[in-house]
Amino acid sequence: MRSQEPVKRVRTIGGGTAWLVTRHEDVRRVLSDPRMSSDRTMPGFPSLVPGRRAIVAENKQAMIGMDGQEHAEARRAVIGEFTVRRINRMRPRIQEIVDECVDRMLAAGGPVDLVRELSLPVPSLVICELLGVPYSDHDFFQSRSALMISRSTPPERRRDVVLELRRYLDELVAEKVREPADDLLGRQVAQQSEKGEVDREGLVSLAFLLLIAGHETTANMISLGTLALLDNPDQLARITEDPARTPAAVEELLRYFSIVDGATSRTALADIEIGGVLIREGEGVVAVGLSANRDPEAFDSPDELDLDRQARNHVAFGFGAHQCLGQNLARVELQIVFDTLFRRIPGLRLADGLDGIRFKDDALVYGAHEMSVTW
């Protein structure tokens, strides 16, 4: 499709039609053009799961669904929490979390489920501590987020899950209002209090976005990145012999897997030509990051994993004004996990081979449900 019909009309599973954009150049154009709206409430916005429109209509949107000045102000209020400098100050604590998880793996002895013992706990603990969410509640939000991103979840159940999570987060925000804390939500409450009234519903939407996006995406990248490195021992040797190569390796793994595309849907606010095709005002667009990141016009031999590739122009974190807020945090987590895991367990291997892994072909965020490893 990318080579023969790079901008193609398709039906969406949630109902209706949209334009599928698959070339790297065109995807970046869609994601950076201010005439492409991220507003999920627009009638033409692509629906990638059944029942999405009703859920969106019932709840205040987070910044992912905002445009223009509204989006810029919402992002500016929280961007300081995710600067490179601030994230680097978190490195010692992230290292502690990773070491504790690896300690438990070694104490248990193989085989263990990498997803349960490392991939999920690391980003979950990190985002919980950052937001001020009790980690003791992780089973609750992880089970709900899994239902949210599964394409097989019935619309009524998906709506119930969203409401359950929002009620939980509303109580958490209310607690921060009563007793301000030194965490991201507490600092947001303090900032808003200084300016006037606290927007509780807005903070719930922000917490909802960061909590789900902050652990689901990184958890799946840990699993898939580990799998790719185990499957390519010559590539793995490059980073175990020289950890200075790990940051570039992480970029290549992000490009190679590009685990989520749902965040890159848009609606045209005017007639726009993309890739020689006229997209009319009000029509939906799905910019496919996975296809863009495998575009031979942008990357040589794109279907090959090459950890020495300089892949910083990938779009795994999106592009433009809505580029992933937490990308610096995700990069640091992945770097620390891969360096630590293979240094401390050099004999790590799959316990049941590739056939023993159940992949998330049924989810909006790609990954592995379980991944048994041993050493």
Side-chain angles (χ1 to χ4, degrees):
M1 201 184 293
R2 183 177 54 228
S3 63
Q4 298 179 17
E5 200 172 356
V7 182
K8 180 180 175 62
R9 177 87 79 170
V10 296
R11 293 185 181 277
T12 64
I13 196 170
T17 61
W19 293 98
L20 203 69
V21 177
T22 50
R23 293 193 309 193
H24 186 268
E25 178 184 357
D26 295 338
V27 165
R28 284 165 63 107
R29 166 86 187 284
V30 167
L31 299 181
S32 59
D33 195 318
R35 297 171 297 171
M36 287 289 182
S37 173
S38 294
D39 187 347
R40 269 79 177 140
T41 66
M42 296 191 73
F45 193 87
S47 181
L48 302 185
V49 291
R52 182 199 63 82
R53 297 186 194 282
I55 294 171
V56 168
E58 292 174 352
N59 299 290
K60 185 169 184 176
Q61 297 196 84
M63 68 180 72
I64 196 173
M66 298 176 184
D67 292 326
Q69 188 61 28
E70 182 188 26
H71 169 258
E73 290 176 0
R75 191 177 177 97
R76 190 160 49 243
V78 75
I79 191 67
E81 301 281 351
F82 296 96
T83 62
V84 171
R85 179 179 294 180
R86 192 174 192 106
I87 296 304
N88 279 336
R89 290 206 299 266
M90 296 174 63
R91 279 181 177 269
R93 177 56 184 144
I94 297 172
Q95 184 68 63
E96 284 182 6
I97 290 170
V98 174
D99 279 328
E100 289 166 2
C101 289
V102 175
D103 286 344
R104 285 192 291 270
M105 289 173 62
L106 289 169
V112 299
D113 178 10
L114 188 87
V115 174
R116 186 179 66 247
E117 301 299 334
L118 183 72
S119 303
L120 270 172
V122 169
S124 297
L125 269 163
V126 171
I127 198 64
C128 281
E129 291 190 7
L130 179 65
L131 286 174
V133 175
Y135 183 67
S136 56
D137 295 334
H138 72 281
D139 283 340
F140 168 78
F141 67 76
Q142 283 175 2
S143 63
R144 271 54 174 190
S145 64
L147 287 166
M148 278 181 53
I149 67 171
S150 172
R151 289 196 177 95
S152 62
T153 302
E156 299 79 9
R157 180 60 180 136
R158 191 186 308 280
R159 177 179 177 274
D160 290 343
V161 165
V162 170
L163 291 175
E164 288 170 12
L165 274 168
R166 289 187 70 90
R167 279 196 295 267
Y168 167 80
L169 292 169
D170 183 64
E171 292 174 5
L172 184 68
V173 171
E175 183 180 322
K176 306 290 183 186
V177 172
R178 290 190 299 269
E179 297 181 27
D182 187 20
D183 49 50
L184 187 149
L185 287 177
R187 290 187 287 271
Q188 289 295 303
V189 167
Q191 286 179 29
Q192 292 188 11
S193 296
E194 289 177 2
K195 298 176 182 178
E197 190 176 352
V198 174
D199 178 9
R200 256 174 68 172
E201 189 179 4
L203 288 179
V204 167
S205 294
L206 173 66
F208 188 97
L209 171 66
L210 296 178
L211 184 63
I212 304 303
H215 82 274
E216 277 288 350
T217 51
T218 306
N220 286 301
M221 273 305 307
I222 290 172
S223 299
L224 293 177
T226 300
L227 173 61
L229 293 169
L230 290 175
D231 200 41
N232 293 271
D234 58 326
Q235 301 267 326
L236 172 60
R238 297 180 192 180
I239 63 172
T240 55
E241 293 168 3
D242 182 8
R245 287 178 162 177
T246 305
V250 165
E251 299 303 324
E252 172 66 351
L253 290 165
L254 288 162
R255 179 202 71 83
Y256 190 75
F257 287 111
S258 311
I259 60 172
V260 59
D261 281 312
T264 54
S265 296
R266 299 288 188 269
T267 307
L269 296 176
D271 291 356
I272 303 172
E273 186 176 300
I274 301 289
V277 174
L278 182 63
I279 296 174
R280 297 287 187 183
E281 178 182 354
E283 293 181 336
V285 178
V286 180
V288 187
L290 173 59
S291 177
N293 283 337
R294 297 292 186 99
D295 186 347
E297 294 297 318
F299 305 97
D300 293 334
S301 304
D303 294 324
E304 294 179 10
L305 183 71
D306 179 4
L307 298 190
D308 289 330
R309 188 195 304 272
Q310 299 303 308
R312 284 299 290 250
N313 61 331
H314 66 75
V315 291
F317 288 123
F319 188 68
H322 279 274
Q323 194 168 36
C324 177
L325 186 70
Q327 60 182 293
N328 293 327
L329 177 59
R331 286 185 170 108
V332 167
E333 289 180 78
L334 292 169
Q335 290 166 21
I336 291 174
V337 164
F338 296 140
D339 280 341
T340 305
L341 179 63
F342 291 105
R343 171 175 51 81
R344 295 194 57 194
I345 314 182
L348 191 74
R349 67 182 190 277
L350 295 177
D352 302 315
L354 195 62
D355 292 339
I357 300 174
R358 187 164 62 92
F359 292 100
K360 292 185 177 179
D361 298 313
D362 58 342
L364 293 169
V365 180
Y366 190 59
H369 289 288
E370 299 99 17
M371 186 170 151
S372 184
V373 295
T374 192
W375 48 91

